[in-house]
């Protein structure tokens, strides 16, 4: 009986592990163009991506596979020069009216002005949870790592391994959290000059086109979405589901210090302090500890 139980446990762990997935580096194998393919390209050995925006069109890609929990990362070199009115988006999303979504959006600006990093989260189709930052480096001079870490406990947005935002799971208190829908990875470069730069006051200078964003090393260390069965498979606290381990339930003391530094020095907008926007009826998560 003991031997049978041991064998059953091996089969169970193997079944869980089968659903874990590592997608590493090859855009040509793991993603495809969903628009604008006529002037964008996958380069090198399939591990580099070039998205283009000009007067004819923007461009975008999406992952072939959807995921539920794990770590999604990308190296991005943003549009240089006068990028006002452009948005380079990098995000996770499900589909439908009640979709979930976790966003990085990089809002272009006039030459010499800093980029704005716009973060947001949608749960069951509801967003309006924006936080914005200005980067402490030139994101157009080289590639930088942008990571979304998502598990049943919290979501963390990282820039070069430094956390800038945390959204914790308070589902048990009636606050929606993305834990029931698999999400694909998307990235796009598009014209958003009706809102992106100074609220739409600064328009795209088309004489500077084409605008180009470059990508490397798309990596998804995440749980493969196989439908509703994945909710329990991907969220179970097993060794195969490394994202559920205690080490990922909360930022370390050092990471909390990094987060505080980023927010104290580089945050320029926080929906949780915009009392006028919400007429004093603040979203309930704003009263909860996030780290």
């Amino acid at each position: 009986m003991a031997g049978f139980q041991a064998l059953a446990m091996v089969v169970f762990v193997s079944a869980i592990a089968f659903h874990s997935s590592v997608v590493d580096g090859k855009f040509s194998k793991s993603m495809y163009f969903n628009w604008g393919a006529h002037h964008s390209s996958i380069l090198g050995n399939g591990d580099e991506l070039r998205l283009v925006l000009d007067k004819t069109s923007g461009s975008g890609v999406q992952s072939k596979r959807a995921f539920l929990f794990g770590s999604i990362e990308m190296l991005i070199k943003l549009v240089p020069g006068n990028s006002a009115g452009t948005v380079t988006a990098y995000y996770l999303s499900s589909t439908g009216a009640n979709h979930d979504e976790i966003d990085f959006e990089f809002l272009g600006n006039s030459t010499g002005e800093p980029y704005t990093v716009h973060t947001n989260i949608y749960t069951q189709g509801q967003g309006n949870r924006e936080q914005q930052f200005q980067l402490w480096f030139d994101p157009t001079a080289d590639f930088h790592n942008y990571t979304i870490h998502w598990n049943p406990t919290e979501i963390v947005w990282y820039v070069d391994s430094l956390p800038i935002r945390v959204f914790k799971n308070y589902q048990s208190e009636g606050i929606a959290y993305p834990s029931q829908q698999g999400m694909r990875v998307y990235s796009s470069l598009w014209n958003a000059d009706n809102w992106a730069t100074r609220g739409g006051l600064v328009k795209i200078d088309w004489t500077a086109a084409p605008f180009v964003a470059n990508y490397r090393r798309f990596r998804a260390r995440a749980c493969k979405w196989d439908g509703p069965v994945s909710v329990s498979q991907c969220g179970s606290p097993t060794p195969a589901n490394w994202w559920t381990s205690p080490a990922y339930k909360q930022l370390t003391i050092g990471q909390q210090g990094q987060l505080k530094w980023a927010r104290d020095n580089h945050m320029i907008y926080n929906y949780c302090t915009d009392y006028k926007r919400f007429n004093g009826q603040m979203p309930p998560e704003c009263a909860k500890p996030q780290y």
Side-chain angles (χ1 to χ4, degrees):
M1 177 62 71
F4 174 78
Q5 289 176 331
L7 177 60
M9 180 58 69
V10 168
V11 171
F12 172 75
V13 171
S14 297
I16 293 293
F18 176 77
H19 292 276
S20 297
S21 176
V22 178
V23 176
D24 196 351
K26 298 291 186 183
F27 291 101
S28 57
K29 292 183 178 180
S30 58
M31 305 193 90
Y32 65 90
F33 288 103
N34 52 17
W35 64 299
H38 65 283
H39 62 184
S40 296
S41 53
I42 293 173
L43 306 169
N45 194 30
D47 55 1
E48 297 185 20
L49 170 69
R50 183 176 185 260
L51 294 184
V52 175
L53 166 66
D54 61 24
K55 270 194 169 183
T56 68
S57 174
S59 51
V61 293
Q62 69 180 72
S63 62
K64 296 177 180 177
R65 178 172 290 172
F67 306 97
L68 181 69
F69 304 136
S71 187
I72 311 294
E73 64 181 282
M74 192 95 75
L75 296 180
I76 307 176
K77 185 178 180 181
L78 295 174
V79 176
N82 184 0
S83 58
T86 71
V87 168
T88 305
Y90 160 50
Y91 59 102
L92 310 179
S93 184
S94 57
T95 58
N98 295 319
H99 77 290
D100 293 335
E101 186 174 326
I102 307 168
D103 293 346
F104 267 115
E105 290 184 298
F106 305 93
L107 314 186
N109 216 328
S110 302
T111 302
E113 297 296 319
Y115 262 82
T116 295
V117 180
H118 178 96
T119 67
N120 201 359
I121 177 171
Y122 287 74
T123 54
Q124 300 172 18
Q126 299 297 314
N128 299 323
R129 298 182 176 97
E130 301 91 345
Q131 293 183 355
Q132 295 184 337
F133 305 81
Q134 288 187 335
L135 292 171
W136 49 95
F137 54 85
D138 179 0
T140 73
D142 205 348
F143 288 88
H144 291 268
N145 184 297
Y146 303 95
T147 296
I148 296 169
H149 183 80
W150 169 38
N151 65 29
T153 305
E154 64 183 14
I155 300 162
V156 186
W157 289 252
Y158 290 93
V159 175
D160 287 338
S161 300
L162 189 150
I164 64 170
R165 180 178 183 178
V166 178
F167 186 87
K168 293 192 77 71
N169 185 349
Y170 287 104
Q171 262 183 313
S172 62
E173 301 181 42
I175 299 170
Y177 185 84
S179 62
Q180 305 294 309
Q181 301 182 55
M183 294 195 269
R184 296 182 189 273
V185 184
Y186 296 82
S187 193
S188 57
L189 175 58
W190 52 290
N191 173 6
D193 69 4
N194 61 323
W195 67 274
T197 305
R198 295 181 58 201
L201 293 177
V202 183
K203 303 299 184 182
I204 288 181
D205 177 6
W206 290 110
T207 65
F211 304 97
V212 178
N214 290 285
Y215 298 74
R216 290 178 183 166
R217 196 175 180 252
F218 165 54
R219 190 175 190 219
R221 296 183 300 127
C223 194
K224 181 176 64 174
W225 173 256
D226 284 327
V229 66
S230 297
V231 173
S232 59
Q233 289 176 336
C234 297
S236 300
T238 65
N241 292 347
W242 59 269
W243 49 86
T244 64
S245 70
Y248 295 99
K249 288 182 181 290
Q250 187 173 7
L251 298 183
T252 66
I253 297 299
Q255 288 174 322
Q256 291 179 36
Q258 292 176 324
L259 180 73
K260 185 178 187 304
W261 173 84
R263 297 174 75 81
D264 287 350
N265 294 282
H266 297 282
M267 176 181 275
I268 60 172
Y269 177 79
N270 182 1
Y271 76 107
C272 279
T273 59
D274 195 343
Y275 302 101
K276 182 177 179 181
R277 174 185 179 185
F278 295 101
N279 197 28
Q281 303 297 310
M282 303 307 293
E285 67 270 13
C286 293
K288 302 292 183 183
Q290 292 299 327
Y291 55 93

